[in-house]
Each structure stands twice: as structure tokens, then as C-alpha cells.
Amino acid sequence: MSMKLKDKTIIVTAAGRGIGKGCAVELARAGATLIINDRPGSQDLMPTVQELRDQGANVKGVEADVFTRAGCEDLLRKAVEQSGPVHGLVSCPAYQKVSPFLDLCPDDFERVIQGTLFSGFHMSQLVARQMVDEGIAGKLVFISSVLAQRPMAQKSAYCAAKAGLNQLAKTIAVELASRHINVNVIEPGWIDTPGEREAFTPKFFEEEAPKLPWGRLGSARDIGRAAAFLMSPDADYITGSVLPVDGAFRYRDGRMLD
């Protein structure tokens, strides 16, 4: 595995499991020094840290609530204290509430926006300020969703939050281009994560996965590989881009059916 991220320190939020963990695994394979984060009290964070260390990764775990400004500040401070200046951020956290629009509680709507859009703003602003102060031509990657562009019933808050995240990232990219700080977005499709496995039965996956254009769900590793590419020197001239990693999930209704 090429060590294209050797000597780079990267923060990955919500990395205890799922997509965040998949990103951490692939960044570690590329040689990055990692600060991986999960919420306070997480049962997943330290096992993931140990798993990565067993594979030879230089990784530290930091519990912090990145849904809040204070939590983001605490995470960045500890990252710098433990590993020095930060060269990259993969902003992964999200909160989802599935509900018909007419029944959606306003507090739940605000929580979804807070967990996706606000957290992305707070963490990226803090990291970008540090990059500018240190003269680092760093990289910011936001994990969004194809639902930012493809509406889905009962996910109005989540779709709105991800759409806002996409536009936030593009605007940041414009502002930070002169600093040579790359800002890009990954849009996962339907990804096989522990959260999805908790939401649906094994039979549901068995029946529905083959119906997808690629014939399977995406994996956290699929998203991680895209994140590792966007963090690498190979992506130095890519900024303000939105990269769907979805096996054509967003186009599934456009197929001719046999």
C-alpha cells in the first residue's frame, strides 16, 4: 500500500464504527497519523483504536461531542497536543430521524441539522483556521449523502441537512482556494453499516441488495478509499467537488427493467 499520507495528521470524526471507521482504516493504510473521534461514552471508539494499532497504525482516540462548538474545540486542542498540527479533516458525523414530514417534531428537525450541518461547520472552521495559522495546504472532506440531491420520503430533515452541507463545502472551497486548502464532498449511497443493520432485518438486505444497480450495498471501505484519495497528493488540484460513491444508487429509477 502506498504511503502517500505519511507524516500527515488527519482527524476523522464519528470514526468508532461505520463509514467513519472505514475512512480511518483506509487513511491508516495510506500511512496517516490519525486522531479518531466518537461521542463521549462511545463503546466503539477504543476497540477501533486498538484494532488499528494492531495493524500498525499510529492512532489516538478522542471522545468529544462534535455536535457542539465546545466539543469541536476540545477535539482539535487534544489532537494538536497529541500529534501536532492537523493536515486533514474527514467530517463524518450525522444524526437521522425518520419521520413523515407532517409528524416530524421540530426538536428532531433541529437535532438533525445540528448533528450534520452545524457539526460540519464548527469542526471545519476550527481546523481550517489552524491550517491557515500554520501555513498548511491541508484538506477537508465532508461525508454527505446522495440524499442531498435525491429526495426520499420521511427523511426531510436529513436530506435538507446534507444538501446544506454540500453547499457549505463548495462555498468554503471557493474561499480557501487561494490558501491551497482543498475542500471536497463524498456522497455515499446505501452503505452497509452497523446502523443500517440495526434498522433493517437480514431478510430485507437479502431481498433488496441484489436490486441495486451494482448488485450490492456499498461498504464503508468503498467510502474510505475515496476519502484516502481526496486526502492524497493525487487530489491536489481537486476542490469544490462532490463525489458520489454509490454504485449508481442515485440513478436506480432510471434503468430499463427486464
Side-chain angles (χ1 to χ4, degrees):
M1 182 66 184
S2 172
M3 300 295 281
K4 291 184 177 181
L5 297 179
K6 189 176 184 298
D7 300 324
K8 302 295 184 182
T9 296
I10 299 173
I11 294 174
V12 185
T13 60
R17 66 177 193 171
I19 289 174
K21 179 180 178 179
C23 291
V25 168
E26 293 305 312
L27 293 168
R29 282 168 52 83
T33 295
L34 293 178
I35 305 294
I36 67 171
N37 151 263
D38 212 347
R39 66 194 183 281
S42 169
Q43 299 299 305
D44 303 306
L45 181 60
M46 294 316 296
T48 295
V49 168
Q50 190 58 54
E51 180 180 332
L52 291 170
R53 286 176 177 169
D54 290 345
Q55 296 170 10
N58 182 357
V59 56
K60 297 178 178 65
V62 177
E63 292 185 4
D65 180 5
V66 295
F67 287 19
T68 69
R69 183 72 174 196
C72 291
E73 290 172 341
D74 186 49
L75 172 55
L76 179 58
R77 177 180 57 79
K78 290 178 179 177
V80 172
E81 287 176 353
Q82 296 181 38
S83 299
V86 173
H87 303 88
L89 166 70
V90 178
S91 180
C92 193
Y95 175 78
Q96 184 170 180
K97 180 66 177 181
V98 178
S99 171
F101 171 70
L102 296 178
D103 299 328
L104 182 59
C105 172
D107 288 343
D108 287 333
F109 182 88
E110 291 186 12
R111 180 66 170 166
V112 173
I113 299 297
Q114 179 187 38
T116 299
L117 184 55
F118 286 8
S119 63
F121 163 75
H122 291 311
M123 199 68 228
S124 64
Q125 186 187 59
L126 292 167
V127 171
R129 284 177 175 174
Q130 178 249 216
M131 290 175 176
V132 170
D133 290 344
E134 296 287 341
I136 293 172
K139 292 180 166 62
L140 308 175
V141 172
F142 294 88
I143 305 299
S144 181
S145 169
V146 294
L147 299 190
Q149 303 183 56
R150 186 184 190 277
M152 183 169 287
Q154 300 192 34
K155 295 188 177 183
S156 57
Y158 187 77
C159 291
K162 292 297 190 179
L165 188 68
N166 282 18
Q167 196 66 5
L168 173 68
K170 293 175 187 178
T171 307
I172 296 170
V174 171
E175 293 194 28
L176 297 183
S178 64
R179 307 279 189 172
H180 290 184
I181 296 175
N182 304 76
V183 186
N184 292 294
V185 176
I186 296 171
E187 286 188 342
W190 191 10
I191 306 300
D192 192 348
T193 65
E196 290 296 294
R197 289 289 172 175
E198 291 165 4
F200 301 102
T201 65
K203 182 179 180 181
F204 180 82
F205 283 101
E206 183 180 333
E207 293 176 349
E208 295 302 319
K211 299 177 185 178
L212 297 176
W214 209 256
R216 67 167 176 86
L217 274 68
S219 69
R221 187 176 187 185
D222 291 324
I223 309 305
R225 286 171 168 170
F229 163 69
L230 289 174
M231 280 288 165
S232 77
D234 294 336
D236 279 354
Y237 203 60
I238 299 173
T239 195
S241 296
V242 177
L243 175 63
V245 184
D246 70 339
F249 174 85
R250 67 200 183 284
Y251 298 138
R252 64 177 180 170
D253 294 334
R255 292 174 294 164
M256 293 292 290
L257 302 178
D258 296 330

